[in-house]
Amino acid sequence: MTQALSDAALDQILRTARTFNKFQDKPVSDETLKSLYELAKWGPTSMNCQAMRIVFVRSPEAKAKLKQALMPGNVEKTMGAPVTAIVASDSQFYDHLPTQFPALPQARDMFAGNAALAAETALRNSSLQAAYLMIAGRALGLDSGAMSGFNPQVVNELFFPDGRFKANMLINFGYGDASGNWPRGPRLGFEDVVRID
Amino acid sequence: MTQALSDAALDQILRTARTFNKFQDKPVSDETLKSLYELAKWGPTSMNCQAMRIVFVRSPEAKAKLKQALMPGNVEKTMGAPVTAIVASDSQFYDHLPTQFPALPQARDMFAGNAALAAETALRNSSLQAAYLMIAGRALGLDSGAMSGFNPQVVNELFFPDGRFKANMLINFGYGDASGNWPRGPRLGFEDVVRID
C-alpha cells in the first residue's frame, strides 16, 4: 500500500501553501517552465483530452499587452511577477483525440458535433489542468498566484486572434515574497461541504 | 528558497501516478474521507469561493442509485470501487462569500445578479477543487479514477433534488489494483501546448 507523503511535503503542496501576490526579483527560466509542464501534464483529464493551452507571458512587451486586460487590483502583482501563465482551453481539443485516446475512435465526433458539450468539457478539463500546474509548481519549489480578475475577451483578442484558444485563468509564477501575502482565507468545514451516503 | 519534493513524491502525486479502474477489497473509512477533504480544502479558488460540494457514495443503496446514471463502460468499475465521490458545484456558492472573502463586500452581488458568470465560476472552481481532491488523495496514499461518463441530470435528480447542487464529475476512490489499469495514454508535447511570449 502506498504511504502518505511526509508532513513537510503535504504542507508544501497544499496544507500551508499560500497564494503569492509578491515575488522575489529572480527570473523563471525556460528550463523551469519546461519542467513545470512536463510534471503537470501527467494529471488525468477526461478521455485524456488535455484541453489546456498555455502562454507564458514573460517579456516586457507581452506583459504590457496583458496589462490592458487586467482588473485594477491585479495590475501591480501581475506586472511584478517574473512570468504570468495565460491558462487557456483549446476549443477544438477534440482534434487530438484520435492520437490521444485511440481506444474510442468515435470520441472526436462526440464533441465536434456538440458545441455546448465541447465548451463545457474544455472549461472543466483546462481547469483541472490549471490545478495540476499550480500543484506541480509548488512541488518543484515554484510559487504562484491565480486570478480570474481580467477581461477574457481582451486577452483572447490580443493573444489568440484566430479565435481557437479561450482564456480560462491567469497564474503568476515565481519565487514568492511572503511580505505580500494577504491573511489566509478561512475554509468551509467538512460538514458544510461533504455528505456520506 | 523552497526545494523540490523528492523524485518518489513527484512520482506519487503526478509523474507515475495512474487512473485506477479496479480497487482492492478494502474499505475507505470516514476518517480517511475526512483527512482527504481536510487536505484538499487548502487549494486556492477564485475569491476563496470553494464552490465544490461532495457526496461520497459508499452504501449499497446509494451505489445502486448512482448506477442508474452511469454510462455502461463505467458501471463495473464504479460498482467495484469502495467509494465514489460525486463532485458537484454549489450554484449559490456566492452566499458564502461574505464569510469566506470578507475583503470584498460586494463579491456576493457580482455573482448573485449574473447567472452565467456564477455558473461558469462554479464549474471552473469546482473543477480546480476536484483536481486538488485527486492529488490530495494520491499524497495520502489513496488511489482514484475520475469520470465524465454519466448523465448529470439523472445524478442531480437523484442526489440533489432541491436543484441547488450540480454534478460536475465522478471520482472513484480506494486502494488501487493495477491489474485493471489501461495502457497509459500519451501526453501532448511542450511545443504543442506551450508558447513563451
Side-chain angles (χ1 to χ4, degrees):
Chain A
M1 186 184 135
T2 311
Q3 298 296 308
L5 301 186
S6 68
D7 273 333
L10 298 178
D11 285 350
Q12 182 167 329
I13 61 170
L14 282 164
R15 210 162 44 188
T16 62
R18 297 298 313 276
T19 289
F20 282 82
N21 303 306
K22 200 172 165 186
F23 294 90
Q24 300 167 46
D25 186 17
K26 178 169 161 42
V28 176
S29 67
D30 284 18
E31 194 192 349
T32 299
L33 296 178
K34 186 148 197 305
S35 302
L36 177 62
Y37 175 70
E38 294 294 337
L39 181 59
K41 73 177 183 184
W42 294 116
T45 54
S46 174
M47 292 190 188
N48 198 31
C49 68
Q50 305 168 72
M52 177 181 69
R53 300 295 177 269
I54 306 170
V55 177
F56 285 117
V57 177
R58 198 176 52 179
S59 70
E61 297 73 24
K63 279 292 191 90
K65 215 160 76 168
L66 182 59
K67 189 178 175 181
Q68 304 170 59
L70 298 174
M71 282 172 66
N74 287 330
V75 169
E76 188 181 346
K77 63 184 172 188
T78 303
M79 293 302 107
V83 58
T84 304
I86 302 172
V87 175
S89 56
D90 179 359
S91 61
Q92 293 171 52
F93 67 86
Y94 45 77
D95 283 340
H96 294 278
L97 290 177
T99 59
Q100 301 304 301
F101 198 65
L104 194 71
Q106 69 272 34
R108 182 191 175 281
D109 294 343
M110 282 176 53
F111 297 104
N114 188 336
L117 178 66
E120 186 180 298
T121 301
L123 176 59
R124 174 182 297 112
N125 285 280
S126 64
S127 299
L128 285 174
Q129 291 185 280
Y132 303 144
L133 199 67
M134 286 188 271
I135 300 283
R138 290 172 173 182
L140 294 171
L142 201 59
D143 298 306
S144 58
M147 289 165 284
S148 285
F150 65 101
N151 186 325
Q153 283 75 35
V154 173
V155 170
N156 292 341
E157 283 162 23
L158 292 171
F159 288 89
F160 309 120
D162 74 5
R164 176 165 172 162
F165 300 159
K166 309 287 181 191
N168 180 346
M169 71 185 78
L170 304 179
I171 309 176
N172 291 325
F173 281 103
Y175 304 94
D177 174 346
S179 74
N181 289 3
W182 296 340
R184 199 176 202 194
R187 293 299 189 272
L188 297 170
F190 183 77
E191 49 299 324
D192 301 317
V193 170
V194 178
R195 193 174 92 202
I196 303 181
D197 274 16
Chain B
M1 188 182 132
T2 312
Q3 299 295 308
L5 301 186
S6 68
D7 273 333
L10 298 178
D11 285 350
Q12 182 168 330
I13 60 169
L14 283 164
R15 211 162 45 189
T16 63
R18 297 297 312 277
T19 289
F20 282 83
N21 303 306
K22 201 172 164 186
F23 295 90
Q24 300 166 47
D25 185 19
K26 179 170 156 47
V28 177
S29 66
D30 285 18
E31 193 191 348
T32 299
L33 296 178
K34 185 148 201 299
S35 301
L36 177 62
Y37 175 71
E38 295 294 337
L39 181 58
K41 73 178 183 182
W42 294 115
T45 53
S46 173
M47 290 188 190
N48 197 31
C49 69
Q50 306 167 72
M52 176 180 69
R53 299 294 177 271
I54 307 171
V55 176
F56 285 116
V57 177
R58 198 176 53 178
S59 70
E61 298 72 26
K63 279 291 190 89
K65 213 160 77 166
L66 181 60
K67 190 178 176 183
Q68 306 171 57
L70 297 175
M71 283 172 65
N74 287 330
V75 169
E76 189 182 343
K77 64 184 172 187
T78 303
M79 292 304 106
V83 59
T84 304
I86 302 171
V87 175
S89 56
D90 179 359
S91 62
Q92 293 172 50
F93 68 87
Y94 44 76
D95 283 340
H96 292 280
L97 291 177
T99 58
Q100 302 302 303
F101 199 64
L104 195 70
Q106 69 271 34
R108 183 190 175 283
D109 294 343
M110 284 175 53
F111 297 103
N114 187 336
L117 177 66
E120 185 181 300
T121 301
L123 177 60
R124 175 182 297 111
N125 285 280
S126 64
S127 299
L128 286 172
Q129 290 185 281
Y132 303 143
L133 199 67
M134 286 188 271
I135 300 282
R138 290 170 173 184
L140 294 172
L142 201 59
D143 298 306
S144 58
M147 291 164 282
S148 285
F150 66 99
N151 185 324
Q153 282 75 37
V154 174
V155 171
N156 292 341
E157 282 162 23
L158 293 172
F159 289 89
F160 309 120
D162 74 4
R164 177 165 172 161
F165 300 159
K166 309 286 181 192
N168 179 347
M169 71 185 80
L170 303 179
I171 310 176
N172 291 324
F173 282 102
Y175 304 94
D177 174 345
S179 74
N181 289 3
W182 296 339
R184 198 176 203 194
R187 293 298 190 271
L188 297 170
F190 183 78
E191 49 301 322
D192 301 317
V193 171
V194 178
R195 194 172 91 202
I196 303 180
D197 274 16

